[in-house]
Short mmCIF file of all heavy atoms in Angstrom, two decimals:
data_model
loop_
_atom_site.label_atom_id
_atom_site.label_comp_id
_atom_site.label_asym_id
_atom_site.label_seq_id
_atom_site.Cartn_x
_atom_site.Cartn_y
_atom_site.Cartn_z
N MET A 1 230.15 210.26 27.93
CA MET A 1 229.20 210.12 29.02
C MET A 1 229.39 208.76 29.68
O MET A 1 229.71 207.80 29.02
CB MET A 1 227.78 210.24 28.50
CG MET A 1 227.47 211.56 27.86
SD MET A 1 225.70 211.77 27.71
CE MET A 1 225.64 213.50 28.03
N THR A 2 229.13 208.69 30.94
CA THR A 2 229.25 207.42 31.64
C THR A 2 227.93 206.70 31.63
O THR A 2 226.88 207.27 31.31
CB THR A 2 229.69 207.64 33.11
OG1 THR A 2 228.64 208.31 33.79
CG2 THR A 2 230.98 208.42 33.19
N GLU A 5 224.92 208.30 33.75
CA GLU A 5 224.35 209.60 33.47
C GLU A 5 223.02 209.45 32.77
O GLU A 5 222.88 208.71 31.81
CB GLU A 5 225.30 210.41 32.59
CG GLU A 5 226.50 210.92 33.34
CD GLU A 5 227.35 211.80 32.46
OE1 GLU A 5 227.09 213.01 32.44
OE2 GLU A 5 228.24 211.26 31.80
N THR A 7 220.95 212.52 32.53
CA THR A 7 220.55 213.87 32.16
C THR A 7 221.51 214.41 31.11
O THR A 7 222.73 214.36 31.29
CB THR A 7 220.59 214.80 33.40
OG1 THR A 7 219.74 214.24 34.40
CG2 THR A 7 220.13 216.19 33.07
N LEU A 8 220.94 214.93 30.05
CA LEU A 8 221.75 215.52 28.99
C LEU A 8 221.79 217.03 29.21
O LEU A 8 220.75 217.64 29.42
CB LEU A 8 221.16 215.21 27.62
CG LEU A 8 221.03 213.73 27.28
CD1 LEU A 8 220.29 213.55 25.96
CD2 LEU A 8 222.39 213.07 27.21
N THR A 9 222.97 217.58 29.16
CA THR A 9 223.11 219.04 29.30
C THR A 9 223.85 219.57 28.09
O THR A 9 224.56 218.84 27.40
CB THR A 9 223.88 219.40 30.59
OG1 THR A 9 225.15 218.77 30.54
CG2 THR A 9 223.13 218.96 31.82
N GLY A 10 223.68 220.84 27.83
CA GLY A 10 224.32 221.45 26.68
C GLY A 10 223.44 221.35 25.45
O GLY A 10 222.25 221.06 25.52
N THR A 11 224.04 221.56 24.31
CA THR A 11 223.32 221.52 23.05
C THR A 11 223.47 220.15 22.40
O THR A 11 224.35 219.37 22.79
CB THR A 11 223.89 222.57 22.08
OG1 THR A 11 225.24 222.17 21.74
CG2 THR A 11 223.90 223.95 22.70
N PRO A 12 222.65 219.83 21.41
CA PRO A 12 222.85 218.57 20.69
C PRO A 12 224.27 218.42 20.11
O PRO A 12 224.78 217.31 20.06
CB PRO A 12 221.77 218.62 19.59
CG PRO A 12 220.67 219.41 20.23
CD PRO A 12 221.40 220.47 21.02
N ASN A 13 224.87 219.52 19.71
CA ASN A 13 226.27 219.44 19.26
C ASN A 13 227.18 218.97 20.38
O ASN A 13 228.10 218.18 20.15
CB ASN A 13 226.76 220.81 18.74
CG ASN A 13 226.20 221.13 17.38
OD1 ASN A 13 225.89 220.25 16.60
ND2 ASN A 13 226.07 222.42 17.10
N ASP A 14 226.92 219.43 21.61
CA ASP A 14 227.69 218.98 22.78
C ASP A 14 227.46 217.49 23.01
O ASP A 14 228.38 216.75 23.32
CB ASP A 14 227.31 219.76 24.04
CG ASP A 14 227.64 221.24 23.95
OD1 ASP A 14 228.61 221.60 23.24
OD2 ASP A 14 226.93 222.03 24.59
N TRP A 15 226.20 217.04 22.89
CA TRP A 15 225.89 215.63 23.08
C TRP A 15 226.67 214.79 22.10
O TRP A 15 227.23 213.75 22.46
CB TRP A 15 224.40 215.36 22.91
CG TRP A 15 223.47 216.18 23.76
CD1 TRP A 15 223.80 216.95 24.84
CD2 TRP A 15 222.07 216.29 23.58
NE1 TRP A 15 222.67 217.54 25.33
CE2 TRP A 15 221.60 217.16 24.59
CE3 TRP A 15 221.17 215.75 22.68
CZ2 TRP A 15 220.25 217.49 24.71
CZ3 TRP A 15 219.82 216.08 22.78
CH2 TRP A 15 219.38 216.94 23.80
N TRP A 16 226.68 215.21 20.83
CA TRP A 16 227.39 214.48 19.78
C TRP A 16 228.88 214.41 20.13
O TRP A 16 229.49 213.34 20.03
CB TRP A 16 227.18 215.16 18.43
CG TRP A 16 227.95 214.53 17.32
CD1 TRP A 16 229.13 214.99 16.79
CD2 TRP A 16 227.64 213.32 16.63
NE1 TRP A 16 229.55 214.14 15.80
CE2 TRP A 16 228.66 213.10 15.68
CE3 TRP A 16 226.60 212.41 16.71
CZ2 TRP A 16 228.66 212.01 14.82
CZ3 TRP A 16 226.60 211.32 15.86
CH2 TRP A 16 227.63 211.13 14.92
N ASP A 17 229.45 215.52 20.52
CA ASP A 17 230.88 215.57 20.83
C ASP A 17 231.24 214.67 22.02
O ASP A 17 232.32 214.09 22.06
CB ASP A 17 231.33 216.99 21.12
CG ASP A 17 231.28 217.89 19.89
OD1 ASP A 17 231.28 217.35 18.75
OD2 ASP A 17 231.22 219.13 20.05
N GLN A 18 230.33 214.56 22.98
CA GLN A 18 230.59 213.77 24.18
C GLN A 18 230.23 212.28 24.01
O GLN A 18 230.63 211.45 24.82
CB GLN A 18 229.78 214.32 25.36
CG GLN A 18 230.19 215.73 25.76
CD GLN A 18 229.20 216.35 26.72
OE1 GLN A 18 228.36 215.66 27.29
NE2 GLN A 18 229.27 217.66 26.86
N ALA A 19 229.49 211.96 22.97
CA ALA A 19 229.02 210.58 22.76
C ALA A 19 230.18 209.66 22.40
O ALA A 19 231.18 210.08 21.83
CB ALA A 19 227.94 210.55 21.69
N GLU A 20 229.99 208.38 22.71
CA GLU A 20 231.01 207.35 22.47
C GLU A 20 230.98 206.89 21.01
O GLU A 20 229.93 206.52 20.49
CB GLU A 20 230.70 206.16 23.40
CG GLU A 20 231.53 204.94 23.19
CD GLU A 20 231.00 203.75 24.00
OE1 GLU A 20 230.21 203.95 24.94
OE2 GLU A 20 231.40 202.63 23.65
N ARG A 21 232.13 206.92 20.38
CA ARG A 21 232.22 206.44 19.00
C ARG A 21 232.10 204.92 18.98
O ARG A 21 232.60 204.25 19.87
CB ARG A 21 233.54 206.89 18.38
CG ARG A 21 233.60 208.41 18.26
CD ARG A 21 234.65 208.91 17.35
NE ARG A 21 234.32 208.50 15.98
CZ ARG A 21 235.21 208.33 15.02
NH1 ARG A 21 236.49 208.54 15.25
NH2 ARG A 21 234.85 207.93 13.82
N ILE A 37 222.70 208.58 19.34
CA ILE A 37 222.52 209.86 18.69
C ILE A 37 223.01 209.68 17.25
O ILE A 37 224.09 209.14 17.02
CB ILE A 37 223.23 211.01 19.43
CG1 ILE A 37 222.92 212.35 18.75
CG2 ILE A 37 224.72 210.76 19.56
CD1 ILE A 37 223.36 213.57 19.58
N ARG A 85 226.52 207.36 17.18
CA ARG A 85 227.33 207.24 18.40
C ARG A 85 226.43 206.83 19.56
O ARG A 85 225.21 207.04 19.52
CB ARG A 85 228.02 208.56 18.73
CG ARG A 85 229.05 208.98 17.69
CD ARG A 85 229.74 210.26 18.07
NE ARG A 85 230.73 210.62 17.06
CZ ARG A 85 231.51 211.68 17.14
NH1 ARG A 85 231.41 212.50 18.17
NH2 ARG A 85 232.38 211.93 16.17
N VAL A 86 227.05 206.29 20.61
CA VAL A 86 226.30 205.94 21.82
C VAL A 86 226.24 207.16 22.72
O VAL A 86 227.26 207.72 23.09
CB VAL A 86 226.97 204.76 22.57
CG1 VAL A 86 226.36 204.58 23.94
CG2 VAL A 86 226.85 203.49 21.75
N LEU A 87 225.04 207.55 23.05
CA LEU A 87 224.82 208.70 23.91
C LEU A 87 224.89 208.28 25.38
O LEU A 87 225.56 208.91 26.18
CB LEU A 87 223.48 209.34 23.59
CG LEU A 87 223.20 210.71 24.15
CD1 LEU A 87 224.29 211.70 23.78
CD2 LEU A 87 221.86 211.20 23.62
N MET A 88 224.20 207.20 25.72
CA MET A 88 224.30 206.65 27.08
C MET A 88 223.82 205.21 27.08
O MET A 88 223.01 204.81 26.25
CB MET A 88 223.49 207.48 28.08
CG MET A 88 222.01 207.42 27.92
SD MET A 88 221.12 208.35 29.19
CE MET A 88 221.18 209.99 28.50
#
Side-chain angles (χ1 to χ4, degrees):
M1 299 196 143
T2 67
E5 286 184 89
T7 303
L8 301 174
T9 57
T11 67
N13 285 333
D14 296 332
W15 305 347
W16 176 260
D17 292 339
Q18 296 168 15
E20 174 189 343
R21 295 196 66 206
I37 185 168
R85 295 182 180 181
V86 169
L87 194 54
M88 69 177 84

